[in-house]
Amino acid sequence: DIITFSAAISACEKGGEWVQAVQLLREMAHCRVQVGSITYSAAISACEKGGECLHALQLLREMPVCRVERNTITYSAAVSACGKSREWLQALQLLCEMADCRVQRATI
């Protein structure tokens, strides 16, 4: 169920196991378990911890396609992933995108 999958993805995030986190996210869709923004945020954060900006961005971009709303937390996780990977231009583009989409930026 969603609680079990989300807990497992969060554990992967904390352990820096981004590949496993993304695989679990894909497995959720395969098992027809509803995926939400919290679960995506954990998977994006796992990518950030692994220095995987491109995978984090891929997850952020697929959220609307999967009918999952992007929010401050998901954008912040993606911005952090870009920062850790030294993809400064991409991080700035995400901040602009947040403004364009009227997502409130948080002070971190």
Side-chain angles (χ1 to χ4, degrees):
D1 67 344
I2 189 169
I3 295 171
T4 305
F5 272 108
S6 294
I9 290 171
S10 290
C12 291
E13 171 197 357
K14 288 173 182 47
E17 297 291 333
W18 71 271
V19 173
Q20 187 66 32
V22 172
Q23 287 175 343
L24 285 167
L25 190 68
R26 301 290 179 238
E27 186 68 20
M28 287 178 78
H30 180 73
C31 293
R32 297 194 173 136
V33 176
Q34 185 176 0
V35 180
S37 62
I38 293 171
T39 310
Y40 264 99
S41 294
I44 291 169
S45 291
C47 292
E48 180 261 329
K49 286 184 176 49
E52 290 293 327
C53 174
L54 294 178
H55 285 93
L57 292 173
Q58 180 182 4
L59 293 175
L60 185 71
R61 299 283 180 242
E62 76 184 35
M63 289 176 71
V65 176
C66 296
R67 298 182 185 181
V68 178
E69 185 177 348
R70 296 182 287 189
N71 57 32
T72 303
I73 297 168
T74 53
Y75 270 104
S76 294
V79 168
S80 291
C82 292
K84 186 167 186 176
S85 298
R86 300 181 188 265
E87 295 289 339
W88 310 119
L89 183 58
Q90 190 64 53
L92 288 172
Q93 288 175 339
L94 287 175
L95 291 172
C96 290
E97 185 179 311
M98 286 176 73
D100 291 345
C101 296
R102 302 194 193 304
V103 175
Q104 185 175 356
R105 289 181 272 186
T107 304
I108 300 175

